[in-house]
Amino acid sequence: MTGRINWTLFSAVWLLLGCNTLHVREDAVQSRMAYHFDEPAKIWEETFPLGNGRIGLMPDGGTEEENYVLNEISMWSGSKQNTDNPEALKSLPTIRKLLFEGRNDEAQQLMYEKFVCGGAGSRQGYRQPYGSFQIFGNLKLSHLYADGQDTAIRNYRRELSLEDAIASVSFKRGKHTYTREAFTSFSSDVAVIRLAANVKNALNFRIGMNRPERYTVVSDRGDLWMYGHLYEGDVYDPKKRDGEKAIDEVMKEGNGMRYGARLRVLLPGGGQFAVVDDTMLTVKNASEAILLIGMATDYFGKDVDRQIDSLVAAAEAKGYETLKKEHIEAYRNLYDRVHVDFGHVREKETLPINKRLELFNHDKNDPSLQALYFQFGRYLLISSTRPGSLPPNLQGLWCNTVKTPWNGDYHMNINVQMNLWPAEVCNLSELHLPLIEWTKQQVPSGRRTAKVFYNARGWVTHILGNVWEFTAPGEHPSWGATNTSAAWMCAHLYSHYLYTRDTAYLADVYPVMKEAALFFVDMLVEDPRRRYLVTAPTTSPENTYIMSNGRKASVCAGSTMDNQILRELFGNTIEAAGILGVDGDFANILAEKCSRLTPTIIGKNGRIMEWLSPFREAEPQHRHVSHLYGLHPGNEISIEKTPALAEAARRTLEARGDESTGWSMAWKVNFWARLHDGEHAWKLLTDLLKPCLHDGMNYSGGGGTYPNLFCAHPPFQIDGNFGGCAGIAEMLLQSHDGYIEFLPALPDAWETGRFEGLRVQGGGEVAAKWSEGKLQRIKLKALTGGTFCIKAPSDSTNLSVTINGKPASCPIESGILKASLNAGDEMILLL
């Protein structure tokens, strides 16, 4: 655990960074972006997620007993470990030989025996070295009311404002009105809660903190202080290979992540508070109470106590109104960059969100619900990561257990990547940086894994990722053998450059891309059956096929997704080397390797083949659609440049079906948008908004949306929220094919509307307005100088162009309008 950032200093820098935002805003009238309930939360998936990119808070709004779930992005059990397995490399030639002989099931069995990570891997990760993202704790309030007071609760309203990142509660009990506000400050980096009553001395409550395990609470100078250490796990001994032995036998006590939290209670209007049993505070006869909660672990710095004390003291000195004002200002500098409006049905906008979702399941005429869902995705990204922090994990930065599903880790066969799909296009480019920095942090471990498991240069990582730089194959080769995750992560590194055109940044990340490509230069091997280079062994993520002998297997020699990702990695690395003027010889090697990869194949059924052999699918409606990576998020498949592949992709999607897990349906929104089928994309979006209350795991269907708008895998998995948000943007705007296209997949349900502030590749920020399905106005602001290409609308007869307010003449060739702009120039197209 090494020091990484001074959070007090960072909060000030964060505020300043937001102030430099470039806006392309128009005078739109839209609904207030908020949603509400008319009762307290009954389950965690009804609570509101608050976060500032590092700490999180989830209030349930109870009137008698109230709970605030506390979260912190680095709250991980586990530790760095040695995952070497010398037996893996020894077995690699035999595994490949079996694959090339078509004995894939035998190859897979050998991999289970030999080609897995050393140690227990991710199973029961919360008490193993692999670790798990965990709940930080609970803040519990017991509200005490005057004897004889009417106990009926009236006029209850619990609301989350996406515009302010504030959760509020108001209700009437007897003759008294009680209000609460909560936020995780973007400017002061503490959680803030305000409780108030409209009658003097009417606030009375007890308050304490706890968590499911491994904590101590004491009073300290009138505050409550909670602290402890998480499990570190056992250091793996490769001679024992005892990952299956009893959990209690592999524990190390007290050496894991150290954490602490300080609760301070302020009573601006008077009242009394006292410490009870050294673990709880009581407040009596107050009119207003301000709760400040500082939280930290030693992941970002060793001096947890001093960091927390400094944050809480600074927040106390500001006072509530200043804290709230600065928080809103810092948050809005990010949130206010983008606006969307698809129309309104006002009576539906007044419904509690759970009832609104239920109604939408039967009556789809609620366009502003889809706009709300889009902005909720942006809200979650703003709330779950920030520069200098960690990227959002499978649950963002929120969880309510020490046994978070799938360890709340970084799955790299789509999930963590999907989390960042909205970052660039939705004008939150700097929020891409935590994932980029996390990727760079994996390289040293990935080099070791490349050498130990494959005897290859460069770096590699597989499906599993955590905060401890785990890069080895997973414990189950059926899903853990995927080895193109580093290549996929490098697509994000290059995407950030495509949107920003920052060559200094490109020079910084290019070595990471080069080493990821270098690994495959060494690892690719010729398949003697076809003479193409293949990744062997590998999988098509988490999917299974049926062999000719009737047996099922997942491990294979080459997969369509691998080839599509490697063509992208090699192409991006070659392009980056050219831009930077380096590594010409290496670029030639990559070009030669790329030419020997199997092209994307259309099978006899007219669909894109998932594997390089025509295997029968064991699960035709599988949630992963990995063989369409080239359609999205890649750009190998295009309806204009590769129409045959695009048609095959369409047939593939039709065969796969729509119903699936939440994140899978979100991915399909993006697929259909890339195929310019707005109606099908919209249909998948409405499926994604289907109400869901399932709390168990479902790998095939049942996905949808929980009452608080969290995406249901089920259980909760945040990538679906981010994928749905990105899918809406994809329906409105695309720029991956070398030109900007407005409204490429506009559904009839959004016949009239507008958006402002989305970003395009090449360094531009755009806005558009349309009516009756036809574009009326386009605005583009160049954030960097260059030539911008815009696909001209089909009816451009009356097109007029101005640049910086002056009429301009821009050529249209083959349906593409080209304009050379300097940084800061604004171009407007009227139709």
Side-chain angles (χ1 to χ4, degrees):
M1 301 171 202
T2 58
R4 285 172 170 78
I5 193 162
N6 181 319
W7 284 102
T8 305
L9 174 62
F10 174 77
S11 295
V13 175
W14 176 255
L15 181 59
L16 291 173
L17 282 173
C19 294
N20 292 324
T21 304
L22 290 165
H23 291 272
V24 186
R25 183 167 182 177
E26 310 200 14
D27 52 342
V29 176
Q30 63 178 27
S31 297
R32 181 167 168 267
M33 285 294 170
Y35 65 92
H36 73 278
F37 292 88
D38 58 5
E39 61 184 358
K42 299 185 183 71
I43 57 175
W44 180 67
E45 293 85 358
E46 291 180 348
T47 63
F48 291 138
L50 297 168
N52 70 354
R54 186 182 73 86
I55 62 174
L57 199 65
M58 296 196 72
D60 66 9
T63 58
E64 307 290 330
E65 301 292 328
E66 184 178 17
N67 189 65
Y68 294 79
V69 174
L70 308 176
N71 292 118
E72 205 272 359
I73 190 67
S74 64
M75 189 71 168
W76 269 80
S77 62
S79 59
K80 291 186 179 182
Q81 60 174 312
N82 180 1
T83 56
D84 291 356
N85 179 4
E87 296 300 313
L89 183 59
K90 295 176 185 177
S91 68
L92 185 57
T94 304
I95 292 167
R96 286 173 169 169
K97 181 176 182 293
L98 291 170
L99 289 172
F100 295 149
E101 292 175 353
R103 297 157 65 186
N104 294 22
D105 50 344
E106 296 177 51
Q108 181 165 309
Q109 181 59 41
L110 181 57
M111 289 188 70
Y112 267 90
E113 296 170 4
K114 302 291 186 180
F115 206 94
V116 293
C117 59
S122 67
R123 53 179 170 258
Q124 296 184 325
Y126 81 108
R127 288 189 173 180
Q128 296 285 0
Y130 183 84
S132 175
F133 176 62
Q134 298 191 359
I135 182 175
F136 193 96
N138 295 289
L139 181 72
K140 289 190 170 291
L141 282 79
S142 296
H143 294 277
L144 309 173
Y145 300 99
D147 293 338
Q149 189 183 68
D150 183 0
T151 60
I153 303 296
R154 299 184 297 277
N155 302 331
Y156 185 95
R157 182 181 179 91
R158 182 166 58 93
E159 179 181 281
L160 176 63
S161 169
L162 304 187
E163 296 173 352
D164 299 335
I166 293 177
S168 60
V169 175
S170 63
F171 61 90
K172 194 168 184 177
R173 191 180 191 277
K175 297 180 180 180
H176 301 168
T177 298
Y178 298 88
T179 59
R180 301 168 198 156
E181 287 185 328
F183 58 90
T184 47
S185 174
F186 278 79
S187 52
S188 296
D189 205 25
V190 295
V192 183
I193 302 169
R194 177 182 182 269
L195 302 94
N198 68 334
V199 176
K200 191 174 182 180
N201 302 333
L203 277 183
N204 299 274
F205 58 88
R206 292 190 301 268
I207 185 168
M209 289 190 291
N210 64 41
R211 70 184 307 272
E213 62 181 21
R214 304 192 62 77
Y215 75 98
T216 300
V217 176
V218 298
S219 63
D220 178 48
R221 293 167 287 169
D223 299 340
L224 286 187
W225 174 254
M226 183 174 72
Y227 63 94
H229 286 266
L230 303 186
Y231 286 117
E232 180 184 30
D234 194 28
V235 177
Y236 172 62
D237 182 350
K239 296 179 182 179
K240 293 181 179 179
R241 297 298 303 275
D242 56 1
E244 297 292 347
K245 73 179 183 179
I247 290 293
D248 290 340
E249 296 179 30
V250 298
M251 292 304 215
K252 276 194 174 180
E253 299 290 338
N255 294 320
M257 185 85 74
R258 181 175 182 268
Y259 68 90
R262 181 174 292 279
L263 166 66
R264 181 163 297 169
V265 178
L266 308 176
L267 304 177
Q272 303 87 43
F273 76 89
V275 177
V276 179
D277 296 330
D278 204 41
T279 61
M280 184 172 291
L281 299 177
T282 61
V283 172
K284 296 181 179 179
N285 302 321
S287 304
E288 178 185 13
I290 310 298
L291 312 182
L292 303 177
I293 308 102
M295 295 175 272
T297 74
D298 62 1
Y299 182 80
F300 292 111
K302 291 292 186 183
D303 201 340
V304 173
D305 300 15
R306 182 174 296 181
Q307 176 187 341
I308 294 172
D309 289 351
S310 175
L311 290 170
V312 173
E316 180 182 7
K318 290 182 177 181
Y320 181 77
E321 292 303 325
T322 298
L323 284 172
K324 181 178 176 181
K325 178 178 178 294
E326 290 180 352
H327 157 75
I328 292 173
E329 180 182 356
Y331 168 74
R332 285 184 177 174
N333 281 325
L334 294 167
Y335 177 82
D336 277 355
R337 296 175 184 179
V338 173
H339 300 267
V340 295
D341 187 349
F342 303 145
H344 308 275
V345 180
R346 299 295 181 186
E347 60 271 21
K348 294 180 179 178
E349 295 173 351
T350 63
L351 293 173
I353 189 63
N354 53 331
K355 297 176 182 177
R356 191 175 179 184
L357 287 169
E358 291 170 3
L359 179 59
F360 184 77
N361 197 35
H362 305 288
D363 177 2
K364 308 299 184 187
N365 182 25
D366 191 355
S368 62
L369 176 62
Q370 294 141 74
L372 177 72
Y373 190 75
F374 169 80
Q375 290 289 33
F376 184 65
R378 293 184 68 248
Y379 165 85
L380 290 177
L381 187 57
I382 295 168
S383 301
S384 61
T385 191
R386 67 190 194 186
S389 186
L390 289 164
N393 59 49
L394 282 173
Q395 296 200 174
L397 60 64
W398 300 279
C399 70
N400 65 337
T401 177
V402 297
K403 300 179 183 179
T404 308
W406 301 285
N407 299 310
D409 69 5
Y410 298 107
H411 271 42
M412 288 178 282
N413 59 3
I414 187 172
N415 310 102
V416 71
Q417 293 94 335
M418 185 182 286
N419 284 1
L420 277 298
W421 284 357
E424 301 294 342
V425 66
C426 292
N427 210 335
L428 298 169
S429 184
E430 63 267 63
L431 301 189
H432 218 159
L433 296 177
L435 182 74
I436 292 166
E437 292 300 317
W438 182 86
T439 301
K440 290 162 60 178
Q441 190 178 335
Q442 310 311 304
V443 173
S445 172
R447 288 187 188 124
R448 183 179 180 92
T449 296
K451 186 66 177 176
V452 170
F453 284 82
Y454 301 93
N455 193 28
R457 297 169 295 171
W459 77 284
V460 65
T461 189
H462 297 77
I463 176 180
L464 299 173
N466 58 17
V467 300
W468 308 119
E469 297 157 25
F470 184 100
T471 57
E475 65 270 17
H476 285 281
S478 62
W479 49 259
T482 300
N483 51 44
T484 46
S485 295
W488 192 338
M489 299 303 289
C490 285
H492 283 261
L493 271 58
Y494 198 61
S495 174
H496 186 68
Y497 166 74
L498 292 176
Y499 277 87
T500 63
R501 298 296 178 179
D502 183 343
T503 53
Y505 158 81
L506 183 62
D508 179 61
V509 300
Y510 171 74
V512 180
M513 298 170 60
K514 178 183 176 181
E515 285 200 56
L518 180 62
F519 168 77
F520 289 102
V521 168
D522 287 359
M523 185 267 189
L524 286 170
V525 60
E526 183 177 88
D527 185 337
R529 297 169 295 180
R530 305 178 184 89
R531 319 306 296 182
Y532 283 112
L533 296 178
V534 296
T535 48
T538 190
T539 69
S540 187
E542 302 185 33
N543 207 354
T544 303
Y545 54 85
I546 301 174
M547 299 173 59
S548 58
N549 62 9
R551 295 177 180 173
K552 294 180 181 180
S554 298
V555 172
C556 59
S559 68
T560 295
M561 185 197 77
D562 279 11
N563 291 329
Q564 292 173 349
I565 289 178
L566 291 187
R567 277 191 287 271
E568 180 181 59
L569 172 66
F570 290 169
N572 290 346
T573 305
I574 291 169
E575 191 172 279
I579 293 167
L580 297 172
V582 298
D583 292 332
D585 290 343
F586 183 65
N588 291 334
I589 292 172
L590 294 183
E592 189 274 334
K593 295 287 185 181
C594 194
S595 69
R596 297 182 61 195
L597 295 172
T598 307
T600 298
I601 303 171
I602 300 175
K604 293 181 180 179
N605 56 13
R607 307 200 300 262
I608 289 176
M609 288 174 53
E610 184 162 358
W611 298 275
L612 306 189
S613 297
F615 294 124
R616 185 157 53 97
E617 296 168 309
E619 189 181 343
Q621 282 76 46
H622 195 269
R623 60 194 176 277
H624 283 264
V625 198
S626 303
H627 45 317
L628 296 192
Y629 178 95
L631 176 62
H632 185 278
N635 62 357
E636 178 179 302
I637 300 173
S638 163
I639 60 172
E640 294 196 4
K641 296 179 180 178
T642 59
L645 286 176
E647 177 57 29
R650 177 185 294 273
R651 294 186 181 184
T652 302
L653 287 170
E654 290 171 346
R656 212 59 151 197
D658 291 345
E659 183 179 5
S660 191
T661 60
W663 64 262
S664 178
M665 292 191 290
W667 195 3
K668 291 170 185 175
V669 174
N670 289 270
F671 283 141
W672 286 106
R674 284 280 172 96
L675 292 174
H676 290 193
D677 191 331
E679 296 309 312
H680 207 138
W682 182 81
K683 190 264 183 186
L684 261 301
L685 179 62
T686 63
D687 290 348
L688 187 59
L689 286 165
K690 179 179 63 178
C692 178
L693 288 174
H694 298 295
D695 56 4
M697 288 188 180
N698 188 325
Y699 282 90
S700 57
T705 295
Y706 288 114
N708 66 353
L709 294 185
F710 270 171
C711 183
H713 178 290
F716 164 52
Q717 202 170 286
I718 203 169
D719 45 6
N721 288 106
F722 295 133
C725 173
I728 292 171
E730 199 76 31
M731 295 164 74
L732 299 174
L733 179 73
Q734 295 177 16
S735 62
H736 61 280
D737 236 355
Y739 54 82
I740 304 166
E741 184 171 9
F742 291 87
L743 309 184
L746 187 72
D748 292 342
W750 303 344
E751 184 182 45
T752 297
R754 68 173 74 208
F755 68 79
E756 301 142 18
L758 296 180
R759 291 274 185 96
V760 293
Q761 292 186 15
E765 187 170 305
V766 298
K769 180 182 179 182
W770 65 95
S771 180
E772 297 180 353
K774 295 183 179 180
L775 276 167
Q776 294 182 324
R777 188 172 188 266
I778 293 171
K779 186 174 183 179
L780 185 151
K781 183 169 186 175
L783 306 180
T784 62
T787 298
F788 291 84
C789 299
I790 299 175
K791 185 174 183 179
S794 56
D795 183 7
S796 302
T797 307
N798 299 317
L799 176 67
S800 66
V801 181
T802 62
I803 298 177
N804 298 329
K806 298 179 180 179
S809 178
C810 299
I812 298 180
E813 300 176 4
S814 301
I816 303 296
L817 182 150
K818 295 184 178 181
S820 295
L821 303 176
N822 297 315
D825 284 351
E826 291 188 0
M827 180 171 69
I828 294 178
L829 281 65
L830 296 177
L831 296 103

